[in-house]
Amino acid sequence: MFERPQSGENAILVHLKIGPSDGDAAEFEELAKSAGVEVLQTIKGSRTVPDAKYFVGKGKAEEIRLSVESQQADVVIFDHALSPAQERNLESLFKCRVLDRTGLILDIFAQRARTFEGKLQVELAQLKHLSTRLVRGWTHLERQKGGIGLRGPGETQLETDRRLLAARIKQINKRLEKVEKQRAQGRKSRQRAQLPTVSLVGYTNAGKSTLFNSLTGADVYSQDQLFATLDPTLRRVNIGDAGPVILVDTVGFIRDLPHDLVAAFKSTLEETRESDLLLHVIDAADPQREEHIGHVNEVLEEIGADEVVQIQVFNKIDLLDGFQSRLDKNESDVVQRVWLSAVSGDGLGLLKDALQQQFGETFVHVWLALPTSEGRVRAKLYELDAILQETIVNQDYLLEIRLQRKTLLEIIPENAEIFDHLPNESELMLARAG
């Protein structure tokens, strides 16, 4: 057995066609480039079932070995999930590092994580992935400790590493529990303020962050690459008559997203599950968009967000010749799809119209005559950012408010009066007398 070499950036990619939904090599190459890899060659093939020892079969494995030698590759990356035994056998044959699709995605996430929570989540997923792969090319892990005072049955290095990994995973889970409680408290405060939450979801590189920036005026990092942004970003934005909403930019999904990664990002993805509306951003110019829609919906189902109301946003129409922005509605006049370009801004107004239709009907715009003795109710209305203007007439606050009807009915006292216009003093006295 060999000792594993230092990692490098020159890679040979292997894409094997096994089933009809195994994706394409072009996306895999983009994934590798997103990790900063220099792609030397992409080797393709097809099999009915994977080979138990080498995954690709003995002949194809020998072809890859010769390419590694001739091009002096540092790593071979497979567009598939490999078992620990298959990785060990391939590394022994190639005499270089072997990485599977899960390991590649975890590496990209490790590069993109910026927040404390994001780094913890990625490390947790990496450690869970690594814990099944301690028996790869490292022969010294199977040796027992020796030396004076250390002879005897003892503990193998492999067992020590497993114990240390388990302890670190336990520690990270405790830290993430604290972060999750903080995030839950933030959600509760937004729910108390009655602010609807809208989450942007979609296949990676569909343009979610660009759309987020266009709607909010934020400066979230966005690039034409897979997983350009990782950590979720929340912004408050006013949508015309619909009032303020919380817009959430989430991590992009992809085919065969590692289950450990989905589990590690549970608290982050909770924002998606608790949303009032999902904007499913789709790359309209992608020939595989229907397949990508299916992959995103699978992940949404996995995290329990498949029941949330969803509007499909077909982005990048500027890449389609002669295509115009538009709204698609069903027979009940409810918006189902919006076609737009986040880069050019064409169709953003239509998206805002769709959001107003979704949330605007639940709001009321009225004048409230509130006795000055009800200062706590007035303070609550300011906390909800519901007061547009106010004046005082005799012993009443006259407040122009815009608020969800349900919330208004919950908080106004019995001695308050509601008007559809600014009442004069006589109207107010008449209402009080009645």
Side-chain angles (χ1 to χ4, degrees):
M1 294 290 288
F2 72 101
E3 297 293 337
R4 294 181 67 200
Q6 297 295 319
S7 62
E9 303 300 329
N10 297 322
I12 289 177
L13 308 184
V14 180
H15 176 81
L16 202 63
K17 192 76 172 178
I18 295 178
S21 60
D22 266 348
D24 63 327
E27 180 192 85
F28 181 43
E29 289 180 11
E30 286 299 317
L31 198 61
K33 291 175 182 176
S34 295
V37 169
E38 181 68 31
V39 179
L40 301 176
Q41 181 184 358
T42 299
I43 296 178
K44 303 177 183 179
S46 61
R47 284 183 66 88
T48 307
V49 293
D51 179 69
K53 185 175 182 180
Y54 292 126
F55 189 85
V56 294
K58 190 174 181 180
K60 182 64 71 172
E62 181 63 22
E63 176 188 340
I64 298 170
R65 185 189 69 80
L66 293 175
S67 295
V68 170
E69 286 184 359
S70 63
Q71 302 196 52
Q72 297 183 331
D74 302 308
V75 59
V76 177
I77 307 176
F78 282 72
D79 189 20
H80 310 275
L82 301 177
S83 69
Q86 287 168 337
E87 285 192 18
R88 181 180 66 243
N89 295 336
L90 290 168
E91 287 184 341
S92 299
L93 179 64
F94 300 157
K95 300 296 187 293
C96 74
R97 280 191 71 217
V98 171
L99 199 65
D100 67 356
R101 181 184 177 85
T102 299
L104 177 61
I105 293 176
L106 289 175
D107 183 83
I108 295 172
F109 272 58
Q111 294 179 42
R112 302 284 193 270
R114 293 292 180 268
T115 64
F116 174 71
E117 181 186 10
K119 291 176 181 178
L120 283 179
Q121 289 167 326
V122 172
E123 184 181 355
L124 177 62
Q126 286 179 319
L127 290 177
K128 285 184 176 180
H129 183 65
L130 179 62
S131 64
T132 64
R133 282 159 165 73
L134 287 177
V135 290
R136 303 218 306 214
W138 300 85
T139 55
H140 72 276
L141 293 182
E142 298 173 357
R143 302 172 192 148
Q144 293 207 351
K145 295 177 180 178
I148 296 174
L150 294 176
R151 294 187 178 90
E155 182 180 40
T156 66
Q157 183 66 46
L158 183 59
E159 289 167 344
T160 301
D161 287 353
R162 280 176 176 158
R163 178 170 51 81
L164 292 174
L165 271 177
R168 179 60 178 164
I169 289 174
K170 185 177 180 181
Q171 182 184 37
I172 292 176
N173 276 324
K174 285 185 177 180
R175 290 185 178 181
L176 282 174
E177 283 177 9
K178 293 182 180 179
V179 176
E180 188 171 349
K181 288 180 181 178
Q182 294 171 351
R183 188 178 287 278
Q185 288 174 351
R187 270 197 304 272
K188 285 182 180 178
S189 66
R190 293 197 300 275
Q191 289 168 355
R192 283 197 300 269
Q194 299 293 324
L195 292 180
T197 302
V198 179
S199 289
L200 299 176
V201 299
Y203 208 77
T204 183
N205 204 30
K208 294 184 301 302
S209 295
T210 303
L211 180 60
F212 182 85
N213 290 338
S214 299
L215 290 173
T216 65
D219 191 25
V220 173
Y221 178 73
S222 60
Q223 283 292 331
D224 184 18
Q225 59 182 193
L226 304 183
F227 299 119
T229 54
L230 173 59
D231 299 304
T233 306
L234 287 75
R235 290 288 187 278
R236 177 173 169 151
V237 58
N238 283 306
I239 308 294
D241 292 337
V245 300
I246 300 297
L247 198 63
V248 185
D249 184 22
T250 62
V251 61
F253 302 146
I254 197 170
R255 173 179 61 86
D256 298 331
L257 192 65
H259 291 286
D260 284 343
L261 203 55
V262 174
F265 277 73
K266 178 183 175 183
S267 62
T268 300
L269 296 173
E270 188 87 8
E271 296 288 353
T272 301
R273 191 169 64 190
E274 297 295 329
S275 296
D276 297 284
L277 175 69
L278 300 182
L279 294 182
H280 183 172
V281 184
I282 301 160
D283 184 350
D286 192 334
Q288 292 185 307
R289 70 188 189 197
E290 294 300 324
E291 186 178 329
H292 292 171
I293 291 172
H295 292 312
V296 171
N297 287 332
E298 286 174 6
V299 177
L300 290 175
E301 184 177 358
E302 187 175 350
I303 65 176
D306 53 317
E307 297 298 325
V308 182
V309 178
Q310 183 182 126
I311 294 178
Q312 292 183 332
V313 180
F314 285 84
N315 188 25
K316 304 186 182 181
I317 63 170
D318 52 301
L319 302 180
L320 301 175
D321 291 336
F323 201 92
Q324 300 294 319
S325 59
R326 72 167 193 260
L327 285 177
D328 292 343
K329 299 182 179 182
N330 61 16
E331 59 276 4
S332 301
D333 201 37
V334 176
V335 176
Q336 300 292 296
R337 289 173 292 277
V338 183
W339 299 76
L340 55 77
S341 169
V343 171
S344 69
D346 183 23
L348 287 180
L350 295 177
L351 177 58
K352 292 180 180 179
D353 291 342
L355 292 175
Q356 288 185 47
Q357 178 181 326
Q358 183 70 29
F359 298 113
E361 295 176 358
T362 65
F363 281 78
V364 291
H365 185 180
V366 295
W367 282 88
L368 182 68
L370 187 69
T372 52
S373 59
E374 298 288 351
R376 297 179 67 177
V377 176
R378 173 176 171 270
K380 178 64 176 178
L381 290 169
Y382 268 109
E383 181 185 335
L384 296 174
D385 198 21
I387 298 178
L388 303 179
Q389 61 174 308
E390 74 167 308
T391 185
I392 297 180
V393 175
N394 295 332
Q395 298 299 312
D396 284 296
Y397 294 114
L398 287 183
L399 307 173
E400 183 185 10
I401 63 172
R402 190 180 180 286
L403 188 63
Q404 286 185 316
R405 182 185 300 277
K406 178 183 177 183
T407 306
L408 178 62
L409 295 176
E410 287 175 352
I411 67 174
I412 61 171
E414 293 182 359
N415 55 355
E417 300 290 342
I418 298 176
F419 300 87
D420 60 2
H421 62 281
L422 174 61
N424 56 39
E425 190 171 348
S426 60
E427 289 175 316
L428 188 56
M429 291 177 63
L430 184 62
R432 289 292 186 206

